[in-house]
C-alpha cells in the first residue's frame, strides 16, 4: 500500500487575511514539500495540471524535476496531465526527461481534465473532448512502446513517419496511469489497455466506487491482463493534524472558500460546515483528522476497494505552508506506519 500527496499548487486568497501568495512562492513551497515527503518516507508526490490564476501548476514536470535532484526515493507523477489538450510527444519527452533526472521515478497520470481552461488556451474544441483523449492516449502509448514511431495522424495532429522520440526513459515502460472521476468508460478503457487507474473520490462514500473497480478488473481480464497485478489508486481531499478537532478547524475555511469558487462555476450549492463534517465521517470522502483516524479511513478504503495507492490532496484552498508541512510529516511518520502495520496484520491472517 503506497501513500502519498497530491496538489494543484493553490494560490487562492487566504480565508483569514485575504492575502494571495505569488505563483513563484507557491512553486518554491512545492519543492520543499516534495523534499520533506521524501524524507519522511512517503511513496509518491503528484502535481496536477491547471491553467488558471488560482493554481500555479501549469507545468507539473518542471516542478517535479526541480525536486527530483533533491530527493532519493519518492516517485514523482502528474496528477493529472490533461492529455486531451497537450501533445503526446512533448508529454513523453517531459516525463522521460524527469525519469532520467530522478533515475527512474517518474510517472504520467493521464486524464481528460475536470477543468476545461486548457482547451481554448491551446486551440481545441470541447466538442472533441472524448475523441482527443482517445487519439492522444493511443499515440502516447505508441511512443512509449517504440523508440521510432509511425502514426497515421488525424484532423487534430499530423502524422509521424518513422521518427524517433527522445530522450528514452530509465524505466521500460514509463508508467502511464489513467485518471478517472468515476466515468465507467474510463474504467473499461484502462482495464482493456492493462493500465493502472486512479479514481478521484472527492464526494459521497468511497465504497460506492466498488462497482467501477469491478468493471475495471473485468475489462482487464477480458483483454488478457491479470487484474490482480494492476495497481489501483484513489485521490481524496484531506488533512492530518495533531487532533481531529484541530485538523478539521484548520482545513475547513480554505476548503470552503475554494469549493464555493468552484461551486459557483459549476452550479453546486454552497459548501457548509455541515457538508464538511458529514464528509469527514468514517465512510465519507474527506480524510481529515488525527493520524489514527486518517489511518483508519485508509484501511477501510483498502478493505472496500482493494486500492494499492492512496493520494491525500492536502491543499484544497490556501493553507499556511507550515501547516501543510506538518501534515505531510504526520502522514509519513504516523499515518503510513499505522496503515502498513495494520494491513500486514489483517492480510497475513487472510
Amino acid at each position: 500500500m503506497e501513500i502519498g500527496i497530491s496538489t494543484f499548487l493553490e494560490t487562492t486568497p487566504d480565508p483569514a487575511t485575504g492575502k494571495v501568495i505569488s505563483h513563484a512562492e507557491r512553486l518554491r513551497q512545492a519543492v520543499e514539500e516534495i523534499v520533506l515527503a521524501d524524507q519522511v518516507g512517503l511513496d509518491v508526490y503528484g502535481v496536477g495540471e491547471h491553467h488558471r490564476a488560482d493554481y500555479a501548476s501549469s507545468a507539473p514536470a518542471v516542478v517535479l524535476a526541480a525536486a527530483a535532484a533533491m530527493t532519493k526515493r519518492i516517485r514523482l507523477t502528474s496528477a493529472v496531465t490533461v492529455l486531451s489538450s497537450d501533445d503526446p510527444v512533448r508529454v513523453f519527452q517531459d516525463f522521460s526527461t524527469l525519469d532520467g533526472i530522478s533515475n527512474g521515478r517518474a510517472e504520467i497520470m493521464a486524464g481528460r481534465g475536470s477543468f476545461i481552461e486548457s482547451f481554448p488556451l491551446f486551440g481545441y474544441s470541447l466538442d472533441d473532448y472524448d475523441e482527443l483523449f482517445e487519439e492522444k492516449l493511443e499515440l502516447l502509448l505508441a511512443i512509449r512502446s517504440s523508440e521510432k514511431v509511425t502514426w497515421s495522424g488525424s484532423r487534430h495532429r499530423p502524422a509521424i513517419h518513422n521518427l524517433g522520440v527522445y530522450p528514452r526513459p530509465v524505466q521500460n515502460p514509463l508508467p502511464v496511469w489513467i485518471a478517472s472521476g468515476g466515468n465507467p468508460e474510463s474504467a473499461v478503457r484502462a482495464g482493456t489497455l492493462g493500465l493502472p487507474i486512479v479514481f478521484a473520490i472527492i464526494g459521497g462514500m468511497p465504497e460506492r466506487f466498488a462497482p467501477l473497480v469491478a468493471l475495471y478488473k473485468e475489462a482487464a481480464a477480458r483483454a488478457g491482463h491479470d487484474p490482480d497485478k494492476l495497481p489501483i489508486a484513489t485521490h481524496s481531499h484531506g488533512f492530518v493534524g495533531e487532533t481531529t478537532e484541530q485538523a478539521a478547524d484548520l482545513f475547513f475555511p480554505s476548503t470552503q472558500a475554494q469549493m464555493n469558487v468552484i461551486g459557483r462555476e459549476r452550479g453546486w450549492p454552497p459548501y457548509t460546515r455541515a457538508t464538511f463534517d458529514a464528509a469527514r465521517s468514517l465512510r465519507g470522502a474527506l480524510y481529515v483528522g488525527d493520524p489514527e483516524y486518517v489511518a483508519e479511513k485508509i484501511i477501510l478504503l483498502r478493505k472496500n476497494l482493494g486500492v494499492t495507492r492512496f493520494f491525500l490532496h492536502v491543499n484544497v484552498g490556501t493553507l499556511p505552508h507550515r501547516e501543510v508541512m506538518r501534515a505531510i510529516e504526520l502522514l509519513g511518520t504516523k499515518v503510513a506506519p499505522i496503515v502498513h502495520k495494520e494491513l500486514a496484520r489483517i492480510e497475513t491472517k487472510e
Side-chain angles (χ1 to χ4, degrees), residues 329-345:
E329 182 181 2
L330 289 171
L331 186 65
T333 63
K334 301 292 185 182
V335 176
I338 295 171
V339 171
H340 294 148
K341 182 178 179 180
E342 181 63 12
L343 289 180
R345 185 188 69 80

Side-chain angles (χ1 to χ4, degrees), residues 118-129:
S118 65
F119 286 81
L121 184 63
F122 294 112
Y124 291 101
S125 171
L126 287 170
D127 293 338
D128 301 322
Y129 186 79

Side-chain angles (χ1 to χ4, degrees), residues 148-294:
K148 293 290 184 73
V149 179
T150 295
W151 191 69
S152 60
S154 71
R155 64 189 179 91
H156 305 298
R157 196 198 189 285
I160 302 173
H161 301 290
N162 196 36
L163 297 177
V165 179
Y166 306 103
R168 303 307 295 180
V170 174
Q171 300 175 91
N172 186 20
L174 180 67
V176 173
W177 295 63
I178 298 298
S180 172
N183 185 302
E185 289 76 15
S186 295
V188 171
R189 179 190 292 114
T192 302
L193 293 171
L195 297 176
I197 193 166
V198 185
F199 293 107
I201 305 179
I202 58 173
M205 293 186 292
E207 63 201 61
R208 291 181 177 173
F209 276 69
L212 287 173
V213 172
L215 197 62
Y216 167 69
K217 290 186 173 184
E218 288 165 7
R222 282 197 306 270
H225 307 292
D226 184 350
D228 293 332
K229 293 183 179 179
L230 290 176
I232 300 172
T234 60
H235 146 107
S236 293
H237 297 159
F239 184 78
V240 189
E242 308 294 342
T243 68
T244 293
E245 293 74 17
Q246 179 216 31
D249 290 343
L250 278 171
F251 196 63
F252 172 69
S254 59
T255 299
Q256 180 189 42
Q258 185 63 357
M259 291 300 283
N260 279 337
V261 167
I262 297 170
R264 285 191 293 272
E265 296 173 1
R266 301 186 181 186
W268 297 346
Y271 191 83
T272 66
R273 182 62 190 246
T275 304
F276 175 83
D277 288 339
R280 65 185 180 91
S281 65
L282 187 61
R283 295 173 65 194
L286 269 183
Y287 291 72
V288 177
D290 62 26
E292 291 76 15
Y293 185 63
V294 173

Side-chain angles (χ1 to χ4, degrees), residues 52-86:
R52 44 190 285 161
D54 45 0
Y55 301 115
S57 58
S58 63
V62 179
V63 180
L64 296 168
M70 303 169 65
T71 54
K72 296 180 180 179
R73 195 187 64 86
I74 195 166
R75 299 194 64 78
L76 305 165
T77 183
S78 56
V80 303
T81 292
V82 185
L83 190 60
S84 305
S85 58
D86 212 331

Side-chain angles (χ1 to χ4, degrees), residues 107-110 137 140-141 144 174-178 195-196:
E107 300 181 4
I108 300 169
M109 190 190 296
L137 179 62
L140 178 64
L141 296 178
R144 182 178 77 153
L174 180 67
V176 173
W177 295 63
I178 298 298
L195 297 176

